[in-house]
Amino acid sequence: MFTIIIAIILPFLAAVLIPFFYKRLSRLHIGWFVLAVPVTMFIILARLLPAIARGDTFLKTINWIPSYDINLSLYLDGLSMIFGLLITGVGSLVILYSIYYLSARESLHHFYIYLLLFMGAMLGVVLSDNILVLYVFWELTSISSFLLIAFWFHRKGSRYGAQKSLLITVSGGVAMLAGFIMVYLMTDTYSIREIASSMSHYMNDPLFLPAMLLVLLGAFTKSAQFPFHIWLPDAMEAPTPVSAYLHSATMVKAGIYLVARLTPVFGGDQVWFWAVSGVGIFTLFWGSFTAVRQVDLKALLAYSTISQLGLIMSLFGIGSVALHFGYGPQSIIYTQATFAALFHLVNHSTFKGALFMVVGIIDHEVGTRDIRRLGGLMALMPITFTIAVIGSFSMAGLPPFNGFLSKELFFTAVLNVKQLDVFSLETWGLMFPIIAWTASVLTFVYCMIIVFQTFFGRYQPEKLEHKGHEAPWGMLISPIILAVFVIGIFFFPNILGSSLLKPAMASIFPGFAEPGELTPHIAAWHGFNPELLMTMGVVVVGGLLYKFLRYWKPVYWLFPTEWRLNALYDFTLGQAERRSSAITKFYMTGYLRDYALYIYIFFFLAVGGGLFLTGAFSFDMSGNAPIRVYEWILVLVMMTAGIAILFVKSRLTATLLNGVLGYSIAIFFVLFRAPDLALTQLVVETVTTALFLLCFHFLPEWKKEEFRPRSKLVNVFISITTGTIVTLIALSVQSNKLFETISIYFQNAYELAGGKNIVNAILGDFRAFDTMLEVVVLFIAGIGVFTLIKLKSGREEQDIEGK
Amino acid sequence: METLITVLIGVLVTVATYLILSRNLIRVILGTSLLSHAVHLLLMTMGGLKNGNAPLLGEKGDIYVDALPQALILTAIVISFAVTAFFLVLVYRSYQESRTEDLDVIRGLDDE
C-alpha cells in the first residue's frame, strides 16, 4: 500500500525536478523524462488490479493536521481504481503524443510542470478519503487547468478561456467546500466512508438538502453540466494534448467521480435523483444540439464532451434510485444504470481522447480546424482517418465499437425509468427515453460531420496552410492505442466488467450484498429488443438528418445570439465590474469631508444608536461637586470663545480664541488642583499658538468657506449631534460609578517610589513605560518636522523629468 | 459641577466637529486642536472633580484628588502637541508644493 503514496507524490516530485532536467538535457525532449512518471504510476496501480478485482480495498493515512481530523487518507477501491487507471493511462498516452505535438521551441518545462501538477492533483481527488483533502486537490486541478489553458498566454482567447474556466470551476469548488463543511457538521467526520455509512441517520437534518445542492454545484461546474458548461468550449484554446487529457478524459470527470462517490451518501433521495439525472439528461440534449452547429472541430468535440458527460451524469442519477429501494431483486435493474455509467465513462475516455488527438493531428498537419475549409483528407491521412472513423462511430453508438454497448445499456436504463413509480416518475418518466433518443440522433449527426466533412468531399488545398500529409508515427501511436481499446472493449467487454466495474459497483452500492449480481453480462448481441430498435431508429433518422443538414440548419439562427449563455456570462461579468466601480466611485469621492461624514454617521449609529437601544443613557447628578462662581465665569468664557471661533472672519482671531481656550483649561487645571498639568498646558499652549502664527506667515489669508447651504446644514447637524452624543455618553458614565478608584495605591508614592509628587511618581516610576514612548513620539515628530522641511528632493526630481 | 463641565465639553466637541468638516486645512487642524482640549477636559471630569488636596504628599489633610487622570492627561497633552506641530508643518509644506490649502482642490484623482 506504500506504493500508492509513492504514486501520488511522484508527479509533484517530478514537477519540482523538471526545471533542472530541462536545463541539463537541452537536446533530449523533456517529455521523454516526464513520460516515465505516469507509466510508473500506471504500473503501480495496475499491479493492484487483481486485488481490487477480488474485492479488496486499501487505506493508508498520513497525518497532516490530526488535531482537526484532516489527514491525507488515501483510499483505493474499485471506483478510484477506474479513475486512477484512466488518469495514468490516458496521461501516459497524452504525454507521448505531446512529445511529437509540441515543438522544442515551446516553453516545455512549464507545460510539463503544469501537466504533472494536474496529474498529481487529479490522482489526489480520486484517492482521497478525507473530503477536505479532496477539496484541496480539487482546487489544485482547477489551478493547474487554468495554467494549462493559458499555456499560450500571448493569445487573448487563451487568457479569456482560462479566466472563465477558473471563475466557474472555483465558484463551484467553493460552493462544494461549503457543502462539505455542512456534511461535517451533520456527521462529525471528514471520511467519505464513514459519512456514507452514517448518512442514513441524517436524511431529515435541515442541512442535508443544502449540503447536497452545494456539493452538486461543485460537481456540475467541474463536469461542465448545463448551465455551467460554457467554460469548456472556451477552454479549447489550450494545446490539444491538454484538451484531450483534461477536457475529455480526466478533469471534467472529477465532477462525475464526485457524484459517483457520493451516491451512497445522498443517493435514494428525490432531489438528488432529479438534480443529477435531470440536469444530466438536459445537458446531454443541449450539448448534442449545440455541437451540430459548430464549425471548429475542437469546439464540436467540446460540446460533444459536454453532451456525453450529461449522459453519464444522468445514468448515475437513475442508478441512485436503487438506493431508495434498498437491496432486493426489484432494485437490481436500476443499479444497471450505474453500471452503464461506469462503462460509458471508460468508453468515453478512450474514444474522446482518440478524437481529440485526431483533431490535433489535422490541426498540426494542415493548419486549420475549421470544417468549412477541410475536406478530402482521407487519401492523404489514411491512418488518421481510420482512427477518426473508429472514434466517431463509437461515439455515435455503432457496432463494432464500444460506444454501441454503452449506448444500448443507456437505452435500457432510460427505458427502465418508465417503470418506476417513485419521485413522480410515473408522469415524467417517459421524458427520459424521448430526450435520450433525440440526443442520440443529434450525436449521430455530429459524429457524421466529423468524419464526412473532414475526410470526404472536395480537397481544398488553397484554403489550407500546409499541404496535408500523414502525421509522424510518434503522434499516431497514442490514438492508435486508444482506438485499439475502443474495438477491444467491444469484443471483450466482460473483462473490463468483471475486473474494474464490478469492484466499482461495490463501492457505489456498499450496502448491497453481492456485487457479482450487480454486474450484468454485456453482450454485443442481445436479441431484438426495444434498445436495438432505438439504435436502428437513430441510424436511420440521424442519417436522414445529416443528409439534409443544410436544409434544417437555419433552425439554429432562430436562436438569437444575445440569449446565449455566453452572452449572459459576459454581461454578468461586465455588469459586475461596472456596477462595483460605479458604487465605489459613488462613495469614494476623494473629499476629506465626505469621509469624515461617513465616520461620524457610523459613530452616531453604532455608539449613539447602540446605547439608545440598550437603554444605557441614564442621568444622575446627585454626586456632583458644587459649582463655584469663578468656575461659572470660566465656563462661560470658554463657551463663548469656542462658539466664536466658528464665526470669526480672520484666522488670527481664531487662533487667539483657541489660545483663550487653552489658557482657560490651564486655569481649570489650577482650580482642579493639578499643578503639573497647569504648567504643561500653559507652556504647550504658548508654543502651539506660536506655531500657528508662524505657519500663517507662509499661508494665505482665510477665504470665506464656500459651502452650499445644504452642505452647511448637514455640517451643523452632524456637529451638534456629535457634541450631544458625547455629552450624553459622558453624563451616563458619570452616573454609573462601578467601583472605587485605584489611585489610593499611588498615594504610597513616598514609600514605594521615594517621591512626594504623586503625578510625577506615576509618570516616572509607576507607569514610566508610557512616558518613555511619549518621549519617542515627541522625538519622531521632531524628526518628521525636520525631514519635511529639509528634504525636498521629490520636487527637484520632477523638474528633471519635466525637462 | 461635572454636568456643567460636560456640557462645555459637548460644546467644544460640536465646534471641533464643525471645523473638521470644513474645506480649509488650517481650520481642520484648529478643529483637532479643539478636540484634544475637549478630550483632556473630559479625562479630568471623568476622574471626578471632588475637592481635595493637590496630589503632593506632605500637604495638610489626607484627602487628595485623583492623580491617575492627571498623569494620563499629561501624556496626552504632550502627544497631541507633537501631532499638532507635525500637522502644522505638513500644512506648510503642502501649501508650498500645491499652492493651496483648500481640501476640495487637493483631493485625490478620480482614477486613484
Side-chain angles (χ1 to χ4, degrees):
Chain A
M1 194 48 213
F2 185 65
T3 48
I4 291 187
I5 298 167
I6 296 177
I8 206 162
I9 291 172
L10 201 59
F12 295 110
L13 201 66
V16 172
L17 290 177
I18 280 179
F20 301 107
F21 281 87
Y22 185 66
K23 267 200 179 142
R24 293 285 152 80
L25 307 172
S26 49
R27 251 173 296 160
L28 192 66
H29 198 290
I30 187 76
W32 292 110
F33 163 72
V34 178
L35 183 60
V37 175
V39 170
T40 317
M41 293 193 293
F42 185 79
I43 292 168
I44 288 172
L45 286 174
R47 281 182 54 192
L48 295 168
L49 192 54
I52 293 286
R54 278 198 306 275
D56 296 352
T57 57
F58 301 93
L59 180 69
K60 175 80 188 168
T61 302
I62 306 169
N63 279 357
W64 183 19
I65 316 172
S67 52
Y68 283 99
D69 199 16
I70 299 171
N71 296 309
L72 191 63
S73 304
L74 301 178
Y75 180 65
L76 185 72
D77 62 353
L79 189 60
S80 312
M81 191 56 151
I82 295 181
F83 281 88
L85 287 178
L86 279 180
I87 292 160
T88 52
V90 180
S92 311
L93 297 176
V94 161
I95 287 176
L96 179 65
Y97 175 78
S98 70
I99 292 171
Y100 290 91
Y101 185 84
L102 292 171
S103 76
R105 281 192 309 271
E106 308 273 7
S107 57
L108 288 173
H109 52 312
H110 289 130
F111 181 80
Y112 287 113
I113 288 171
Y114 303 156
L115 201 66
L116 283 175
L117 214 58
F118 172 79
M119 196 178 281
M122 197 64 209
L123 267 182
V125 166
V126 300
L127 288 177
S128 293
D129 182 51
N130 190 300
I131 45 177
L132 283 191
V133 177
L134 189 150
Y135 171 74
V136 170
F137 283 118
W138 182 278
E139 292 298 22
L140 197 56
T141 62
S142 292
I143 293 165
S144 47
S145 158
F146 168 77
L147 291 168
L148 281 167
I149 294 168
F151 178 63
W152 288 313
F153 54 82
H154 46 87
R155 296 187 188 167
K156 198 167 175 250
S158 298
R159 297 197 303 270
Y160 174 79
Q163 188 205 34
K164 193 177 195 178
S165 73
L166 190 74
L167 275 179
I168 293 178
T169 53
V170 168
S171 315
V174 172
M176 189 181 87
L177 176 64
F180 281 168
I181 291 170
M182 287 181 188
V183 168
Y184 175 74
L185 289 177
M186 277 188 283
T187 59
D188 209 30
T189 172
Y190 286 123
S191 160
I192 295 177
R193 290 170 305 115
E194 289 170 24
I195 292 169
S197 59
S198 66
M199 201 56 174
S200 48
H201 308 304
Y202 304 102
M203 294 286 259
N204 294 320
D205 196 288
L207 283 178
F208 181 81
L209 194 62
M212 175 205 286
L213 293 177
L214 285 171
V215 169
L216 274 182
L217 204 60
F220 287 168
T221 51
K222 199 77 162 182
S223 280
Q225 299 294 300
F226 189 88
F228 308 111
H229 64 273
I230 49 172
W231 66 267
L232 189 58
D234 284 306
M236 290 300 131
E237 294 290 337
T240 303
V242 173
S243 310
Y245 187 45
L246 272 69
H247 307 128
S248 71
T250 52
M251 183 172 107
V252 288
K253 295 206 167 90
I256 303 264
Y257 167 79
L258 195 72
V259 167
R261 181 53 91 194
L262 296 180
T263 296
V265 177
F266 296 114
D269 188 80
Q270 177 168 2
V271 181
W272 176 266
F273 167 80
W274 275 110
V276 175
S277 57
V279 169
I281 202 105
F282 188 75
T283 310
L284 163 66
F285 169 75
W286 188 253
S288 59
F289 176 70
T290 319
V292 176
R293 66 180 293 169
Q294 302 302 320
V295 289
D296 178 4
L297 276 176
K298 265 179 108 175
L300 194 155
L301 286 180
Y303 279 106
S304 92
T305 302
I306 292 166
S307 151
Q308 304 281 314
L309 291 170
L311 190 158
I312 299 171
M313 199 65 100
S314 68
L315 280 173
F316 274 119
I318 296 168
S320 74
V321 175
L323 287 162
H324 180 75
F325 295 111
Y327 182 68
Q330 190 198 7
S331 59
I332 289 293
I333 62 165
Y334 303 117
T335 64
Q336 303 312 307
T338 304
F339 183 82
L342 292 169
F343 189 49
H344 193 67
L345 178 89
V346 177
N347 293 345
H348 177 251
S349 296
T350 57
F351 65 68
K352 192 52 66 69
L355 279 175
F356 266 111
M357 290 178 188
V358 163
V359 170
I361 289 170
I362 294 169
D363 192 13
H364 204 261
E365 300 306 327
V366 303
T368 183
R369 307 189 303 250
D370 192 330
I371 49 177
R372 289 168 301 191
R373 291 159 70 187
L374 293 168
L377 294 176
M378 181 172 64
L380 293 167
M381 306 170 133
I383 302 171
T384 316
F385 166 68
T386 315
I387 302 164
V389 166
I390 293 172
S392 304
F393 283 15
S394 173
M395 184 153 71
L398 299 177
F401 308 109
N402 58 6
F404 173 71
L405 301 175
S406 42
K407 186 140 290 186
E408 297 293 286
L409 288 171
F410 172 55
F411 283 154
T412 314
V414 289
L415 287 173
N416 282 335
V417 171
K418 265 194 320 176
Q419 297 157 15
L420 278 171
D421 51 359
V422 288
F423 306 159
S424 60
L425 275 170
E426 56 274 14
T427 0
W428 297 99
L430 193 62
M431 193 186 74
F432 280 91
I434 293 171
I435 296 182
W437 187 80
T438 323
S440 299
V441 171
L442 290 165
T443 306
F444 185 86
V445 172
Y446 70 69
C447 289
M448 294 307 112
I449 291 177
I450 296 177
V451 173
F452 287 97
Q453 302 204 355
T454 313
F455 294 98
F456 288 85
R458 204 161 49 80
Y459 177 53
Q460 302 155 295
E462 72 282 355
K463 289 189 181 173
L464 303 176
E465 284 177 27
H466 320 290
K467 261 175 71 76
H469 55 78
E470 191 54 89
W473 275 104
M475 236 164 151
L476 288 169
I477 296 171
S478 303
I480 288 174
I481 293 174
L482 286 172
V484 166
F485 268 103
V486 170
I487 302 177
I489 292 174
F490 175 80
F491 286 107
F492 308 103
N494 293 308
I495 297 178
L496 179 71
S498 59
S499 65
L500 257 184
L501 304 189
K502 191 173 82 173
M505 290 297 279
S507 25
I508 296 177
F509 300 104
F512 285 30
E514 180 49 55
E517 277 180 46
L518 304 178
T519 314
H521 183 79
I522 315 165
W525 174 252
H526 38 71
F528 281 107
N529 49 12
E531 293 89 325
L532 192 65
L533 289 174
M534 279 168 86
T535 303
M536 286 176 175
V538 166
V539 175
V540 173
V541 177
L544 287 173
L545 277 180
Y546 175 70
K547 184 102 176 121
F548 300 108
L549 184 61
R550 60 200 160 93
Y551 296 109
W552 62 273
K553 211 166 182 186
V555 82
Y556 285 108
W557 303 115
L558 295 175
F559 196 63
T561 329
E562 303 87 66
W563 289 11
R564 283 190 208 148
L565 284 165
N566 267 326
L568 180 71
Y569 166 84
D570 289 334
F571 177 77
T572 314
L573 215 59
Q575 282 297 312
E577 243 169 65
R578 259 195 297 283
R579 290 282 151 83
S580 53
S581 106
I583 290 172
T584 311
K585 276 229 171 77
F586 171 73
Y587 75 90
M588 297 299 283
T589 53
Y591 294 112
L592 187 66
R593 176 176 169 267
D594 290 348
Y595 303 144
L597 280 185
Y598 304 150
I599 294 169
Y600 281 118
I601 289 168
F602 179 79
F603 167 73
F604 301 158
L605 295 178
V607 181
L611 290 179
F612 180 74
L613 285 180
T614 52
F617 287 123
S618 68
F619 308 107
D620 169 28
M621 296 163 195
S622 56
N624 275 2
I627 310 171
R628 285 160 296 188
V629 182
Y630 37 85
E631 284 157 358
W632 270 115
I633 298 169
L634 208 53
V635 166
L636 283 178
V637 166
M638 283 184 78
M639 279 192 185
T640 321
I643 295 168
I645 288 183
L646 296 176
F647 298 99
V648 296
K649 294 278 184 292
S650 128
R651 58 186 184 175
L652 193 66
T653 327
T655 313
L656 291 179
L657 284 172
N658 183 38
V660 169
L661 286 177
Y663 290 124
S664 309
I665 287 177
I667 298 173
F668 261 128
F669 289 152
V670 171
L671 291 179
F672 298 145
R673 296 181 179 74
D676 302 286
L677 284 185
L679 202 63
T680 319
Q681 178 68 26
L682 280 173
V683 174
V684 163
E685 199 53 43
T686 313
V687 177
T688 310
T689 310
L691 262 174
F692 267 106
L693 295 176
L694 189 69
C695 260
F696 290 162
H697 178 67
F698 300 98
L699 293 174
E701 188 54 52
W702 268 6
K703 275 173 283 187
K704 202 171 154 27
E705 289 261 288
E706 286 159 7
F707 274 123
R708 280 170 298 146
R710 226 180 97 202
S711 311
K712 202 156 188 169
L713 210 64
V714 170
N715 285 359
V716 170
F717 172 74
I718 296 272
S719 318
I720 291 177
T721 320
T722 312
T724 316
I725 289 182
V726 169
T727 314
L728 290 180
I729 292 171
L731 287 175
S732 309
V733 174
Q734 284 159 15
S735 312
N736 294 294
K737 282 274 188 289
L738 293 176
F739 46 81
E740 282 304 307
T741 170
I742 57 166
S743 294
I744 305 298
Y745 174 76
F746 296 118
Q747 290 175 8
N748 302 324
Y750 190 68
E751 291 84 55
L752 294 170
K756 289 190 170 177
N757 184 332
I758 303 178
V759 174
N760 288 0
I762 293 174
L763 287 172
D765 196 302
F766 294 110
R767 299 175 56 92
F769 205 59
D770 286 359
T771 314
M772 187 183 85
L773 294 179
E774 163 200 338
V775 171
V776 173
V777 168
L778 211 55
F779 179 64
I780 292 174
I783 294 178
V785 168
F786 179 78
T787 354
L788 270 180
I789 292 181
K790 281 287 168 193
L791 296 181
K792 296 179 181 175
S793 57
R795 182 157 193 160
E796 282 155 23
E797 273 170 23
Q798 249 182 4
D799 285 350
I800 293 166
E801 275 173 27
K803 286 166 194 167
Chain B
M1 182 77 219
E2 278 91 340
T3 311
L4 183 67
I5 302 284
T6 310
V7 172
L8 171 66
I9 291 163
V11 171
L12 289 184
V13 168
T14 308
V15 174
T17 309
Y18 189 83
L19 287 173
I20 287 173
L21 288 175
S22 64
R23 281 169 59 176
N24 185 302
L25 256 175
I26 286 286
R27 282 174 86 103
V28 172
I29 291 176
L30 214 56
T32 57
S33 174
L34 236 68
L35 199 59
S36 53
H37 286 328
V39 169
H40 299 157
L41 263 186
L42 183 64
L43 273 171
M44 192 81 202
T45 316
M46 300 302 259
L49 299 176
K50 297 284 181 304
N51 286 323
N53 287 321
L56 298 168
L57 295 173
E59 294 272 307
K60 291 190 190 81
D62 52 354
I63 303 170
Y64 297 99
V65 294
D66 199 336
L68 192 56
Q70 297 193 10
L72 297 181
I73 295 168
L74 201 60
T75 314
I77 289 175
V78 175
I79 290 175
S80 69
F81 166 67
V83 174
T84 307
F86 182 76
F87 268 170
L88 274 171
V89 177
L90 200 60
V91 173
Y92 157 68
R93 285 288 292 134
S94 143
Y95 180 73
Q96 270 197 330
E97 295 292 323
S98 61
R99 285 284 139 207
T100 181
E101 46 173 7
D102 189 338
L103 279 167
D104 284 11
V105 179
I106 50 178
R107 66 179 272 249
L109 297 173
D110 276 340
D111 295 341
E112 281 169 351

